[in-house]
Amino acid sequence: MGSVYAPVRVSDQSFAFRSVRDEAEIAFEALRTILPPKKFFYPAKETILECDGDEVKEHIEVVEPFAVFGVHPCDLAGLNALDKIFLSTPQDSHYQRRRRAAFIIGLSCLPDKHCFCKAMKADAPGKGYDLFLTDLEDKYFVQVNNQEAFEFILSCKEFMHLASDQDNQGYKKFWNDRDSMFEHNFDSAQLPNLMDLGWDHPLWQELGERCLSCGNCTPVCPTCYCFDMTDVAMFNSEKVEAERQRVWDSCQFSGFAAVAGGENFRPGPVDRLKFWYRHKLHGFEDPIEIPSCVGCGRCTVSCPSGIDDLPGVIRILAGRPQLNLEGEIA
Ligand code: SF4
Ligand code: SF4
């Protein structure tokens, strides 16, 4: 096994997935990391093509096996959504190589006030992990998802025992108790309808006027995957070397929808914010049929303007404005 990545504390209030060598480095209490684990599979910048003189060829990175520990259910759901994007035909070989090299160890968590994964049906360990650990306080209940994970378990069986009836009861109690802790509960099946009906709601103008177009909300989102391509050339006396790089982009940036001729399909922050919300709450319905928000709450905590409160926006669109965005929107 190569590198192991896990959440570590990087400030009083924030955590990040980092390479760890010792269990003591791991922040087992971490709820949401600054960036989701998508960064391991779809990095912020990567070389796609390389040009060596006259030859242009695909850049093929050798990816060593690695493990990611501490992936919570919403982030597993985010990876499953990205799988649908990048592993649908034609598959993205760069993403696929990293996905194949990874061993994912999921970990249970308890929600805070920003979590709404339950409403988005992304609150349970469904798939996308190799092992999933549920914290039963004095032990972990381990779910094994495939043969590779089973062989790993066999290699450390001195730390394991078969789940007893009491363990099974403890597992069910944990998930039932956790279920009752969520503050936000709405019917996510209604979101596409709410977004269609609310397309001209004055809320978008109010929120858009407060948006700084900083783009914070997109890199932190487990399902945002928009990118730009840049060509980087290096000249020397003998030949031209160059790379085509894929870099994360954001639909909140003013130039994102700019096209040749000086036109811009979404020139102002109101248009861009509304577009982003639509993508998150209407989802990738056609043709992928999955929601594109997994309710992790990262955009809420990272927005400097305090306008990415998705549950608050949903309540307003649903016609329950008494429960508005912390009283800031009339
Ligand atoms: S839209 Fe916000 S809450 Fe939903 S998955 Fe993205 S970052 Fe998380
Ligand atoms: S993080 Fe907030 S202010 Fe920044 S682009 Fe997103 S919505 Fe706008």
Side-chain angles (χ1 to χ4, degrees):
M1 180 64 73
S3 299
V4 177
Y5 300 93
V8 301
R9 185 177 285 280
V10 293
S11 77
D12 281 352
Q13 296 183 4
S14 52
F15 303 91
F17 281 104
R18 294 275 166 81
S19 174
V20 295
R21 294 185 168 274
D22 191 291
E23 178 191 334
E25 298 173 55
I26 300 175
F28 289 88
E29 73 280 20
L31 182 55
R32 62 178 71 75
T33 48
I34 299 169
L35 290 180
K38 76 174 176 182
K39 68 177 184 176
F40 297 114
F41 308 99
Y42 169 52
K45 180 166 81 173
E46 66 182 321
T47 301
I48 299 292
L49 298 175
E50 53 194 21
C51 168
D52 180 5
D54 294 330
E55 189 187 4
V56 178
K57 57 185 180 191
E58 181 184 4
H59 175 78
I60 298 179
E61 184 185 338
V62 177
V63 184
E64 300 293 338
F66 65 100
V68 186
F69 174 87
V71 181
H72 296 318
C74 62
D75 280 342
L76 288 174
L79 286 177
N80 291 334
L82 290 187
D83 285 352
K84 294 240 184 181
I85 304 297
F86 287 111
L87 299 183
S88 296
T89 307
Q91 294 192 342
D92 184 288
S93 58
H94 304 269
Y95 181 89
Q96 184 195 42
R97 270 192 288 279
R98 296 192 182 95
R99 248 342 221 142
R100 283 191 176 156
F103 190 81
I104 306 275
I105 305 171
L107 181 64
S108 62
C109 50
L110 297 175
D112 71 4
K113 64 180 182 177
H114 300 300
C115 295
F116 58 103
C117 58
K118 182 184 171 191
M120 300 308 295
K121 298 182 175 51
D123 58 322
K127 56 179 186 168
Y129 61 85
D130 293 281
L131 296 174
F132 192 92
L133 313 186
T134 295
D135 186 355
L136 300 186
E137 295 187 0
D138 58 342
K139 65 185 93 167
Y140 287 106
F141 188 104
V142 182
Q143 289 169 265
V144 182
N145 209 27
N146 51 42
Q147 184 66 25
E148 184 187 6
F150 185 66
E151 285 167 14
F152 176 78
I153 289 291
L154 289 180
S155 74
C156 49
K157 61 184 176 192
E158 65 271 29
F159 300 111
M160 308 282 171
H161 68 80
L162 278 176
S164 64
D165 283 347
Q166 194 182 6
D167 295 330
N168 292 343
Q169 293 304 326
Y171 174 87
K172 285 189 265 188
K173 182 174 183 334
F174 174 90
W175 290 98
N176 284 335
D177 289 350
R178 178 181 184 270
D179 222 29
S180 63
M181 293 179 185
F182 286 92
E183 290 182 21
H184 307 293
N185 201 1
F186 49 81
D187 182 5
S188 59
Q190 283 297 332
L191 294 179
N193 291 338
L194 291 180
M195 286 304 293
D196 285 341
L197 291 170
W199 189 242
D200 295 319
H201 198 291
L203 169 75
W204 303 121
Q205 190 69 28
E206 294 181 51
L207 294 181
E209 284 174 2
R210 284 165 51 192
C211 177
L212 305 172
S213 302
C214 67
N216 264 9
C217 44
T218 54
V220 302
C221 179
T223 66
C224 277
Y225 63 93
C226 287
F227 58 82
D228 196 3
M229 289 288 190
T230 57
D231 291 338
V232 180
M234 292 148 279
F235 298 95
N236 64 38
S237 57
E238 313 223 329
K239 60 188 176 188
V240 177
E241 294 177 345
E243 287 182 357
R244 173 157 293 180
Q245 297 174 346
R246 176 164 67 183
V247 292
W248 287 358
D249 202 350
S250 172
C251 60
Q252 304 280 25
F253 291 156
S254 58
F256 184 83
V259 294
E263 297 300 326
N264 191 329
F265 293 114
R266 292 185 289 278
V270 176
D271 305 305
R272 294 193 291 272
L273 187 78
K274 190 157 88 165
F275 174 83
W276 179 81
Y277 261 97
R278 182 174 171 85
H279 203 191
K280 297 292 108 179
L281 299 183
H282 209 288
F284 307 122
E285 284 195 61
D286 182 15
I288 299 175
E289 296 182 343
I290 51 172
S292 71
C293 172
V294 294
C296 70
R298 282 189 179 88
C299 56
T300 309
V301 300
S302 64
C303 176
S305 291
I307 55 178
D308 278 340
D309 175 3
L310 273 73
V313 166
I314 291 164
R315 286 193 293 269
I316 293 172
L317 293 178
R320 291 185 280 162
Q322 70 277 17
L323 300 169
N324 64 15
L325 291 174
E326 298 176 355
E328 293 184 40
I329 295 170

